[in-house]
């Protein structure tokens, strides 16, 4: 048995597999059929201050090797989350990262203050990169990233992650988030993409663009994580985007991820996600590697086994 | 807006078996732009009428697709596919014996959504007749009549056990047939293309006992991702878990 425990953000994760924000919802349905102790953490669907009903249908559009999503942050709002969902999430045998988003730094600060310190909130993840809500893709410039992260940091005492896009000058955004007090980053959110209806010639999604996720974006996400690790050797990175199997998880670790975020695969093949920790253990053991830590960033230091 | 996880979800089928099972394409007949296929699969609880499963081919689209069950017995599922789209066309070409990954069953069975205090006319169009045929076979006591709109004669060859009337022969659509068979006191279970459902909603939404089975693209299938959620009078509800059957009056946008 290899050691799979990851110490990051001042927390101990049982293994590096993290359910990314969104596809797993609040984990309640998954918990009916799967043992959440088999993942290192659950990231909740993004919670906002007020309830949101999200975008109209269609919300999912097919894409080669993945899907375009346009959910639009549907969630019950902070108060209902605290009163009705958190007590149930608290009981999960895994770490809980609560994803939050705000329309302004002030709103985000209020939200962070209400959730920080609640039992069951092991960490907060500020979603700065949702491609699906108008005027809230705040993560396009470092200044606003700094303002939002600073607001969340000042209002909370729990570890803080910034969820960033993999587009544009993403390394500047990582830098901005870290300098404003984030303890780490989740990279990447879904990438903007679109499809057009061939009978009407019009975009298939109401909001034209949606967030492309799934295996289609894996090589892109991997490269962004690799670059971020190179630029920030010490920071915590939740490498997210297109991981669907053991090989993807191993590559993410070698690129420099501390933890591996899994989104689309939870929708497409949840069994595979809950098998990952076992497969990782077997692979490490078969390769004579005693601790998963040894893979972290291997691509930056001459490969596996070369230390 | 009401909260996302509505009380409607706590109806009948909590705690389904989610695990995907490896099945195999056992048989297939193709006619008139449709295919009827049989998949053999172990380790899957038998779907009830109105429930659906998610199907995936190893070499097919990454996101599994939802299919209502036409007929089910232990270890054996039948489907009626409209041959229009990536996975359905792949299933129409795949060699017999090809592995098909099956996950489910999901969704609330029709029977636990509707009132048992009346009988129903089953109005179906296209592949939407599949869950209704399943329902009619399982619940003759709740089935008053069928009103199916199927265009071509060829489709009847796929369903020899039914005396399917087709539009090509008598010029009648599902809505025409429904109009003849429905009378006050009867309910309606409708499943089919959106224009057909809209037509039915326009005329019968105010009648008690009118239900529509809705289709949106399904994500996870088990109610977590909100990919399939629709606006209803009780807030956002999930087609995959709160539905797929909804009281017609719950979905005013259909009218
Ligand atoms: C509960 C439920 C039960 C269902 N039961 C059945 C069933 O019993 N039988 C059945 O046949 N279907 C059923 N469906 C529908 C089926 O799940 C979907 O149609 C699914 O997308 C089929 O997958 P596919 O890969 O074959 O088609 P896809 O490739 O997903 O295509 C779906 C449709 O979109 C069109 N399309 C795709 N891309 C474009 C584009 N760029 N421009 C214009 N049009 C485009 C295709 O032509 C096709 O009509 C059900 C759906 C639900 C929600
Ligand atoms: C249906 C769906 C909903 C999502 N919702 C959120 C969300 O609420 N907040 C967020 O930060 N990311 C959200 N994401 C993005 C994922 O967390 C992830 O960053 C992205 O999809 C790339 O990873 P993947 O390819 O493993 O899915 C969502 C993704 C999907 C597919």
């Amino acid at each position: 048995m290899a050691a799979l425990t990851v110490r990051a953000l001042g927390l101990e994760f049982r293994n590096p597999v993290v359910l990314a924000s969104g596809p797993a919802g609040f984990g309640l349905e998954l918990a009916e059929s799967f043992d959440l102790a088999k993942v290192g953490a659950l990231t909740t669907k993004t919670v906002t201050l007020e309830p949101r009903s999200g975008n109209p249908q269609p919300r999912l559009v097919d894409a080669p090797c993945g899907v375009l999503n346009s959910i639009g942050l549907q969630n019950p709002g902070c108060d209902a989350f605290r009163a009705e969902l958190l007590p149930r999430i608290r009981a999960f045998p895994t770490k809980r990262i609560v994803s939050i988003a705000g329309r302004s730094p002030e709103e985000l600060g209020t939200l962070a203050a209400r959730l920080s310190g609640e039992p069951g909130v092991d960490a907060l993840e500020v979603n700065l990169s949702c491609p699906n809500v108008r005027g809230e893709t705040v993560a396009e410039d470092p200044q606003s990233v700094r303002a939002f992260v600073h607001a969340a940091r000042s209002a909370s005492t729990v570890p803080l992650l910034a969820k960033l896009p993999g587009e544009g000058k993403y390394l500047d955004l990582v830098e901005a988030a870290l300098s404003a007090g984030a303890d780490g980053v989740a990279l990447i959110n879904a990438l903007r993409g679109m499809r057009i209806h061939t009978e009407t010639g019009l975009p298939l999604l109401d909001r034209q663009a949606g967030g492309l996720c799934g295996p289609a974006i894996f090589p892109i996400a991997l490269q962004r994580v690799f670059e971020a690790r190179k630029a920030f050797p010490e920071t915590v990175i939740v490498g997210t985007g297109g991981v669907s199997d053991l090989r993807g998880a191993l590559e993410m670790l070698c690129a420099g991820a501390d933890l591996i975020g899994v989104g689309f695969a939870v929708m497409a093949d949840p069994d595979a996600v809950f098998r990952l920790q076992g497969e990782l253990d077997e692979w490490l053991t078969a390769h004579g590697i005693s601790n998963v830590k040894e893979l972290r960033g291997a691509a930056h230091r001459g490969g596996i086994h070369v230390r | 807006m009401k909260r996302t996880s509505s009380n409607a979800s706590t109806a009948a089928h909590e705690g389904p078996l989610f695990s995907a099972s490896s099945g195999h394409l056992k048989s297939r007949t193709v006619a008139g732009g449709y295919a009827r296929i049989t998949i053999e699969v172990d380790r899957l609880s038998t779907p009830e009428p109105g429930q659906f499963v998610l199907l995936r081919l190893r070499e097919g689209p990454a996101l599994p697709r939802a299919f209502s069950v036409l007929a089910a017995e232990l270890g054996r599922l039948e489907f009626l596919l409209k041959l229009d789209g990536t996975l359905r066309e792949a299933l129409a070409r795949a060699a017999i014996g090809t592995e098909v990954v099956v996950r489910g069953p999901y969704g609330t069975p029709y029977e636990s959504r509707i009132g048992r205090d009346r009988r129903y006319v089953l109005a179906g169009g296209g592949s939407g007749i599949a869950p209704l045929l399943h329902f009619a076979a399982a619940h003759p006591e709740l089935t008053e009549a069928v009103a199916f709109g199927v265009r071509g004669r060829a489709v009847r060859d796929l369903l020899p056990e039914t005396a399917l009337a087709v539009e090509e022969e008598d010029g009648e659509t599902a809505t025409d047939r429904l109009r003849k068979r429905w009378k006050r006191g009867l309910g309606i279970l409708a499943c089919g293309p959106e224009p057909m459902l809209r037509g039915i909603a326009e005329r019968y939404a105010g009648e008690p006992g009118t239900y529509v089975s809705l289709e949106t693209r399904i994500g996870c299938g088990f109610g977590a991702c909100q990919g399939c959620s629709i606006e209803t009078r009780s807030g956002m509800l999930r087609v995959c878990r709160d539905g797929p059957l909804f009281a017609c009056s719950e979905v005013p946008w259909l009218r």
Side-chain angles (χ1 to χ4, degrees):
Chain A
M1 281 249 297
L4 294 181
T5 308
V6 176
R7 287 188 184 76
L9 305 169
L11 301 168
E12 198 174 282
F13 298 88
R14 203 175 282 134
N15 67 63
V17 181
V18 172
L19 304 180
S21 177
F26 294 94
L28 302 173
E29 296 82 11
L30 280 172
E32 292 171 356
S33 291
F34 293 102
D35 179 6
L36 288 175
K38 290 191 173 161
V39 294
L42 159 80
T43 315
T44 67
K45 175 74 189 168
T46 297
V47 175
T48 53
L49 196 56
E50 302 299 332
R52 299 225 192 145
S53 51
N55 293 335
Q57 284 290 336
R59 289 179 165 197
L60 296 172
V61 166
D62 194 42
C65 295
V67 79
L68 285 162
N69 86 81
S70 179
I71 313 290
L73 298 189
Q74 179 187 331
N75 81 95
C78 176
D79 292 346
F81 169 73
R82 254 195 334 184
E84 286 154 45
L85 298 173
L86 198 49
R88 299 167 71 186
I89 292 170
R90 199 173 287 149
F92 290 160
T94 189
K95 292 285 180 253
R96 292 126 305 203
I97 303 169
V98 176
S99 171
I100 55 174
R103 290 200 161 93
S104 64
E106 295 68 40
E107 189 182 293
L108 188 68
T110 308
L111 187 58
R114 283 197 197 164
L115 292 170
S116 156
E118 284 277 348
V121 181
D122 296 308
L124 289 174
E125 178 175 285
V126 182
N127 179 2
L128 292 164
S129 44
C130 182
N132 296 320
V133 282
R134 211 175 300 272
E136 278 183 77
T137 315
V138 293
E140 268 161 8
D141 69 286
Q143 228 164 330
S144 53
V145 166
R146 220 172 274 123
F148 276 87
V149 172
H150 179 74
R153 175 74 292 162
S154 318
S156 64
T157 51
V158 294
L160 192 67
L161 287 165
K163 173 95 175 261
L164 297 170
E167 301 168 86
K169 296 195 168 165
Y170 63 95
L171 286 179
D172 294 350
L173 306 183
V174 176
E175 156 75 38
L178 296 175
S179 70
D183 300 300
V185 294
L187 264 181
I188 60 176
N189 210 317
L191 296 168
R192 272 170 297 188
M194 76 185 292
R195 298 294 305 267
I196 289 177
H197 196 287
T198 50
E199 302 299 315
T200 64
L202 296 169
L204 271 167
L205 286 166
D206 198 54
R207 312 174 43 75
Q208 294 106 47
L212 180 62
C213 58
I217 69 169
F218 176 70
I220 300 172
L222 190 69
Q223 193 263 348
R224 305 305 193 250
V225 169
F226 180 85
E227 288 299 321
R229 174 54 73 220
K230 194 158 73 182
F232 305 95
E234 302 304 329
T235 196
V236 173
I237 301 178
V238 187
T240 308
V243 175
S244 58
D245 57 10
L246 172 67
R247 177 159 282 151
L250 292 169
E251 290 187 49
M252 256 320 166
L253 292 168
C254 291
D258 299 275
L259 297 161
I260 308 150
V262 186
F264 175 80
V266 174
M267 288 162 51
D269 191 1
D271 299 270
V273 175
F274 285 84
R275 271 198 310 267
L276 271 179
Q277 58 105 38
E279 292 175 350
L280 201 51
D281 186 7
E282 267 174 44
W283 189 92
L284 291 168
T285 307
H287 286 72
I289 300 173
S290 62
N291 194 316
V292 69
K293 218 163 51 182
E294 291 175 41
L295 287 184
R296 179 186 179 274
H300 298 274
R301 39 180 173 77
I304 297 168
H305 287 309
V306 186
R307 310 197 98 235
Chain B
M1 189 200 92
K2 273 235 295 231
R3 278 176 304 280
T4 40
S5 299
S6 140
N7 45 5
S9 68
T10 51
H13 275 243
E14 293 296 359
L17 181 71
F18 283 7
S19 271
S21 306
S22 168
H24 292 90
L25 185 62
K26 177 72 181 162
S27 68
R28 174 181 53 218
T29 35
V30 177
Y34 289 82
R36 177 177 182 161
I37 64 167
T38 305
I39 292 173
E40 280 191 343
V41 58
D42 305 324
R43 289 200 323 115
L44 195 89
S45 18
T46 308
E48 292 183 42
Q51 288 193 296
F52 65 92
V53 300
L54 296 177
L55 300 183
R56 186 163 59 89
L57 286 172
R58 298 265 178 219
E59 304 299 315
L63 191 69
R65 313 296 208 222
F67 295 100
S68 295
V69 173
L70 169 66
E73 53 188 72
L74 198 64
R76 199 165 157 278
L77 302 175
E78 286 191 84
F79 303 92
L80 182 65
L81 311 178
K82 183 166 190 225
L83 296 182
D84 168 28
T86 321
L87 184 71
R88 289 172 294 185
E89 286 166 33
L91 281 167
R93 280 192 310 265
I96 299 302
T98 298
E99 183 189 6
V100 185
V101 182
V102 186
R103 187 150 62 80
Y106 296 124
T108 304
Y110 287 170
E111 191 207 354
S112 38
R113 174 67 70 235
I114 62 177
R116 290 192 57 99
D117 55 342
R118 63 181 78 237
R119 289 162 67 81
Y120 294 84
V121 181
L122 314 184
S127 65
I129 69 174
L132 298 175
L133 285 167
H134 192 195
F135 181 89
H139 298 293
E141 81 288 1
L142 293 173
T143 304
E144 173 75 16
V146 300
F148 292 160
V150 175
R151 205 146 294 154
R153 197 176 281 126
V155 182
R156 192 160 46 204
D157 300 342
L158 300 180
L159 302 160
E161 69 273 38
T162 66
L164 198 66
V166 295
E167 204 178 320
E168 196 175 76
E169 285 174 352
D170 59 16
E172 288 195 2
T173 66
T175 328
D176 297 334
R177 296 184 210 280
L178 177 63
R179 206 165 294 160
K180 284 191 187 156
R181 282 167 208 154
W182 183 86
K183 54 182 191 292
R184 202 141 267 128
L186 292 174
I188 296 171
L189 300 187
C191 184
E194 200 166 302
M196 177 196 123
L197 297 183
R198 284 186 188 281
I200 290 174
E202 206 169 303
R203 204 176 160 102
Y204 302 99
E207 302 293 342
T210 304
Y211 295 89
V212 286
S213 195
L214 298 180
E215 178 188 333
T216 55
R217 188 172 292 272
I218 303 294
C220 66
F222 48 82
C225 79
Q226 303 290 2
C228 65
S229 294
I230 53 158
E231 222 181 299
T232 73
R233 282 198 203 279
S234 325
M236 300 303 290
L237 292 181
R238 301 159 297 182
V239 168
C240 76
R241 186 152 176 147
D242 305 313
L245 195 72
F246 294 88
C248 194
S249 55
E250 275 280 291
V251 284
W253 48 265
L254 202 54
R255 252 180 284 177

